[in-house]
Amino acid sequence: MMGMDINAIMAEMRPRLDTHGLNTSDIRAHLGDCPWRVYLFSEVDSTNTMLKNLCREGAPAGTVLVADRQTGGRGRLGRSFQSPGGVGVYFSALIRPDCTAQELMHLTCAVAVAMCDAVENAYGFRPGIKWTNDLVVGKRKLGGILTELVLDPKTCRVLGAVIGVGINCNQLEADFDESIRPIATSARMVTGDKTDRNILIAEMVRSLERMEKTLLSSRASMLAQYRRDCITLGQHVSILRGEDICHADALDIDAEGGLIVRYENGEIGTVTSGEVSVRGLYHYI
Ligand code: BTN
């Protein structure tokens, strides 16, 4: 820590605007004895971008930023993440594990399992995971995860890991942009009821706090749960690398969260998440 007063910075940055029912006292009431600190915003560009900057300025581990709306929500592979107000949870949490980037290759998998736990605890259904970072229900996307590391340029050790998660809570089908309408879902569409976003946020925080404690020590049991949740395994998939497409059978997840596949020529290979997009042959899943 470099002696920053994060509370003063946050007070300065937070405009006092409507957050459509998101409030820190309801979140706090569901957090139990979890010591992580949640800061709410009505609108930001991207909670991940903001938290990466705060990480460099010395924000403590356990800092969580949540916005009612993002104007520049980011997804994996440079995509945007639609983040309208009043309906979703746009969430970033900071952890500071003492390790190298190589030792955190499984982080996105660990977060995905933790988010399945959180949704199940909050809303009573467990999403599946579309390798590597999408939460899905019934072949549609419920949410996504974007983990980003801040590294010490001299030692290449991790200064911080920003865990970004976006979850669709209260959209109805017509609320989604036409471009994603056929492939998007929300907790409300799954349960049939309007959902309380404060409860989900509290469960996400509690789940990530538990995950962080065992992140470097219990990789095997976490990956066993990831394999159970992962709906990609056993599927015939398309692998998209830029303009190139090839087809393969998804066989397993390796110790670093890579997808082990058998290509059509019989060769076995491992696909890592940074480079590709994986789709089912006839649908997004
Ligand atoms: C994906 O679907 O590829 C990942 C989406 C991650 C979106 C979340 S919303 C909160 C955080 N801030 C961002 O800009 N992105 C993540």
Side-chain angles (χ1 to χ4, degrees):
M1 215 108 18
M2 290 164 253
M4 81 181 309
D5 181 351
I6 190 169
N7 291 313
I9 291 181
M10 293 301 186
E12 191 70 22
M13 290 171 91
R14 258 179 300 180
R16 306 270 171 242
L17 294 177
D18 189 14
T19 53
H20 296 106
L22 288 182
N23 70 82
T24 31
S25 46
D26 281 13
I27 296 169
R28 192 71 254 162
H30 285 94
L31 274 183
D33 57 5
C34 175
W36 287 19
R37 279 293 300 264
V38 179
Y39 298 89
L40 279 185
F41 298 85
S42 51
E43 179 184 296
V44 302
D45 168 21
S46 153
T47 53
N48 260 36
T49 305
M50 197 172 158
L51 194 53
K52 274 202 294 182
N53 291 334
L54 288 169
C55 171
R56 292 191 191 95
E57 291 178 43
T63 299
V64 178
L65 309 185
V66 178
D68 180 50
R69 173 167 183 262
Q70 294 183 121
T71 53
R74 297 184 289 107
R76 212 168 63 85
L77 303 173
R79 297 184 184 125
S80 63
F81 187 81
Q82 290 181 19
S83 314
V87 286
V89 165
Y90 317 114
F91 171 110
S92 298
L94 177 65
I95 59 171
R96 291 187 181 273
D98 182 15
C99 64
T100 61
Q102 187 61 35
E103 290 169 276
L104 279 189
M105 297 293 280
H106 63 300
L107 175 62
T108 299
C109 292
V111 173
V113 169
M115 292 304 96
C116 288
D117 292 344
V119 171
E120 188 171 23
N121 290 338
Y123 297 151
F125 69 91
R126 189 171 185 89
I129 301 167
K130 172 181 172 286
W131 185 88
T132 177
N133 68 323
D134 282 351
L135 303 180
V136 296
V137 180
K139 301 202 171 182
R140 286 169 179 244
K141 178 161 169 166
L142 177 77
I145 295 162
L146 177 66
T147 51
E148 299 185 284
L149 300 184
V150 178
L151 300 177
D152 182 327
K154 290 200 194 96
T155 62
C156 281
R157 292 189 75 78
V158 172
L159 290 176
V162 171
I163 297 166
V165 186
I167 297 187
N168 303 323
C169 289
N170 282 320
Q171 289 92 336
L172 295 172
E173 182 150 345
D175 296 327
F176 289 110
D177 210 80
E178 265 177 46
S179 58
I180 59 167
R181 197 172 294 157
I183 58 163
T185 192
S186 70
R188 182 178 183 178
M189 288 165 66
V190 175
T191 62
D193 290 319
K194 211 161 175 230
T195 58
D196 183 338
R197 291 182 296 160
N198 295 307
I199 292 179
L200 178 62
I201 292 163
E203 290 295 344
M204 290 164 76
V205 173
R206 286 160 61 108
S207 202
L208 286 177
E209 194 222 359
R210 281 193 297 271
M211 177 218 77
E212 191 260 347
K213 286 182 178 143
T214 56
L215 182 61
L216 299 175
S217 59
S218 303
R219 191 195 293 209
S221 59
M222 179 282 294
L223 284 171
Q225 184 59 48
Y226 186 92
R227 290 184 187 98
R228 287 193 284 275
D229 288 325
C230 182
I231 51 96
T232 308
L233 295 181
Q235 282 205 62
H236 198 50
V237 294
S238 302
I239 300 169
L240 292 80
R241 272 189 191 86
E243 299 289 292
D244 295 338
I245 298 192
C246 61
H247 304 299
D249 291 315
L251 302 179
D252 201 358
I253 304 294
D254 75 9
E256 299 189 322
L259 183 67
I260 302 174
V261 297
R262 185 191 301 109
Y263 293 105
E264 287 180 323
N265 65 5
E267 263 178 42
I268 304 283
T270 303
V271 182
T272 54
S273 66
E275 35 168 345
V276 297
S277 180
V278 170
R279 303 263 163 91
L281 275 196
Y282 303 111
H283 207 276
Y284 145 78
I285 298 295

